[in-house]
Amino acid sequence: MVLTAFHLLFFAFIIVAGFWNGSARNMVTPGGLAPYGVRGVLDGAAVVYFSYIGYDSASTMAEEIRDPARALPVGIAGSVLIVSALYCLMSVALCVMLPYTEITESAPFSSAFRDKAGWRWASNVVGAGASIGIVASLLVAMLGQARYLCVIARARLVPAWLAKVHPSTGTPMNATIFLGLCTASIALFTELQIVFEMISIGTLLAFYLVANALIYHRYAKVGATRPLHVLLFLLLLTLSSVGFSLSRRIDGKWRWGMALFGAMSVAVVAIFHCTAQQGAAGPPSEWTVPLMPWPAAASVFLNVFLMTTLKMRSFQRFGIWSLVITIFYVCYGVHSTYTAEENEIVNAMIHDANADILS
C-alpha cells in the first residue's frame, strides 16, 4: 500500500509537470500524430503489452479475500481501467514535452525533464521513482507467482515442499523464498530485453489458452454436449487469426488477405454464436463473462495477432524453455501426481474402514 500510494503521487507529478512544460505542437510535428501510420501503432502494441500484464496476479489472492466472487472481478477490471488511464496520460505528457524524434530510449522521462524543462532535480526524482517502480513490479510478480507455485505443488506437479504455508501469516513461505532466489538470479544474469520478450510471449500464449478454455468450458459439457463442434470452432478461429496476422506482415498484394481472414474470423464467431447457444453448458452460478463468445474470441484473435509481431528469437527461446518444462513434467510431475492420487485413495479407504469399525 505504501508503494502504491508513492506511485500514484509519482505519476501525478509526471503528468502535471509534463503538461505544464509541454506544448501541443510537439504532438503533430514532425511527421504528424502517427508518423509511422497504422503499421507503426500495431508493431508497438506487442511491446507496450508488457505494461498491461500482471492483473491476473489478483486472482491468485482468492484464498486471502473475504468475498472473492465479488471482489476479484471488480479489482481486476478496475485496476486495468485505472492503470490504462495513467499509462495514456503519462505517454501524452511525454509527447507534449518532446517531439518523438528527441525522445531517448534509455531514460525518456528523466532526459525530458533534464533537457527540455531544465529541472535536473526532477530528473533525479523520476529516475529514483522508476527504480522503485521496477522493484514494486518484481514484488507484485513474485506475489502472484508464489501462489501459482503453491497451488501446483499441492497437486504434486512440483515438490510438495513448495506448498508449505507459514503457520502465522498464512502465506506460501517456501515458494516465495524460492522465487525470490530465481528472480534475483534472472535479474543478475539476463538482459532486460530478453526478459521482456519471454514475458510477453509467455503471457500472450497463456491468455490465448485461457480464452480457448473459457469457450470450451462454457459450451462443452461432459456427458451432455458433444465437444467436437466447439473444438472445430476454436481451430477455425485460430487458423483465421493466424492468416490475418501473417497477411499483415506481407506488404503489397497480400492486403486482400487481411480483409479475407478478418471477415472469416467474424463469420466463424457469428455462426458459432447462433448455432451453439442451444447446446451451451450454462454459465457458472457466481460471475460470468458477458456477451459470450465474442469477448473470448476477440482475446484469441488479439493474442495470436500480437504473438506474430514478436521476433523469431523469442519463439526459439520460448520453445527451448517449454521443452525443458515438458521434460520435467514427463519425468517428475506425471509420476508424482499419480503417486499422490494413489496415496489419497489409500488414505480415504483407511479412513472409511476405521469409521466402520468405530460405528
Side-chain angles (χ1 to χ4, degrees):
M1 292 182 65
V2 172
L3 288 174
T4 301
F6 170 80
H7 278 109
L8 291 176
L9 294 175
F10 175 66
F11 296 150
F13 169 76
I14 291 179
I15 293 170
V16 173
F19 281 102
W20 180 268
N21 292 281
S23 172
R25 186 182 300 107
N26 294 329
M27 293 285 292
V28 294
T29 56
L33 186 62
Y36 298 103
V38 177
R39 176 177 291 272
V41 175
L42 296 178
D43 287 339
V47 178
V48 300
Y49 181 82
F50 176 79
S51 303
Y52 286 91
I53 65 176
Y55 304 102
D56 56 315
S57 298
S59 63
T60 64
M61 305 292 292
E63 296 183 3
E64 304 168 52
I65 298 175
R66 294 179 180 177
D67 187 9
R70 175 180 175 85
L72 283 180
V74 175
I76 295 174
S79 61
V80 170
L81 294 176
I82 293 173
V83 173
S84 298
L86 291 174
Y87 190 94
C88 294
L89 288 174
M90 289 185 66
S91 300
V92 174
L94 178 63
C95 291
V96 298
M97 288 185 66
L98 290 174
Y100 77 95
T101 55
E102 300 180 16
I103 297 176
T104 60
E105 295 183 4
S106 57
F109 285 98
S110 297
S111 60
F113 279 105
R114 182 180 62 252
D115 301 333
K116 177 65 177 180
W119 293 2
R120 183 170 295 276
W121 63 270
S123 174
N124 297 330
V125 170
V126 171
S131 300
I132 297 177
I134 294 175
V135 175
S137 299
L138 289 174
L139 290 176
V140 172
M142 289 174 55
L143 181 74
Q145 292 296 328
R147 283 151 181 81
Y148 283 134
L149 194 60
C150 179
V151 174
I152 295 173
R154 289 176 184 172
R156 301 298 190 271
L157 291 172
V158 294
W161 176 80
L162 295 170
K164 183 179 179 181
V165 176
H166 194 275
S168 60
T169 62
T171 56
M173 178 180 63
N174 292 345
T176 302
I177 295 174
F178 174 76
L179 282 171
L181 296 175
C182 293
T183 302
S185 301
I186 293 174
L188 183 62
F189 296 108
T190 310
E191 293 183 8
L192 191 60
Q193 187 61 34
I194 295 177
V195 175
F196 286 168
E197 292 175 357
M198 288 289 290
I199 293 176
S200 295
I201 189 172
T203 306
L204 286 169
L205 181 61
F207 286 177
Y208 165 80
L209 295 175
V210 168
N212 281 271
L214 178 61
I215 295 174
Y216 185 86
H217 178 70
R218 180 70 65 89
Y219 292 97
K221 187 175 182 180
V222 178
T225 58
R226 299 181 60 183
L228 181 60
H229 71 288
V230 181
L231 296 175
L232 180 61
F233 162 68
L234 295 176
L235 176 62
L236 292 176
L237 178 61
T238 299
L239 292 177
S240 59
S241 302
V242 172
F244 176 88
S245 303
L246 295 180
S247 299
R248 190 195 69 86
R249 296 182 64 87
I250 303 176
D251 295 326
K253 60 181 181 179
W254 284 94
R255 291 188 179 275
W256 61 268
M258 296 176 60
L260 175 62
F261 287 109
M264 185 182 300
S265 300
V266 175
V268 168
V269 179
I271 294 173
F272 179 78
H273 177 73
C274 296
T275 58
Q277 287 295 328
Q278 298 299 325
S285 58
E286 292 292 341
W287 189 88
T288 119
V289 177
L291 304 177
M292 283 289 289
W294 292 98
S299 179
V300 171
F301 183 88
L302 290 174
N303 285 308
V304 171
F305 174 79
L306 291 176
M307 276 192 286
T308 58
T309 63
L310 297 174
K311 299 177 182 178
M312 182 58 64
R313 187 62 61 87
S314 302
F315 287 92
Q316 294 173 352
R317 294 191 183 104
F318 185 76
I320 295 173
W321 174 245
S322 300
L323 179 62
V324 172
I325 295 299
T326 302
I327 294 175
F328 176 83
Y329 172 73
V330 172
C331 297
Y332 177 85
V334 174
H335 307 286
S336 178
T337 304
Y338 182 75
T339 303
E341 291 178 353
E342 280 189 330
N343 293 334
E344 289 181 1
I345 294 174
V346 172
N347 292 333
M349 293 174 64
I350 295 174
H351 180 271
D352 293 339
N354 292 335
D356 293 337
I357 293 174
L358 293 176
S359 61

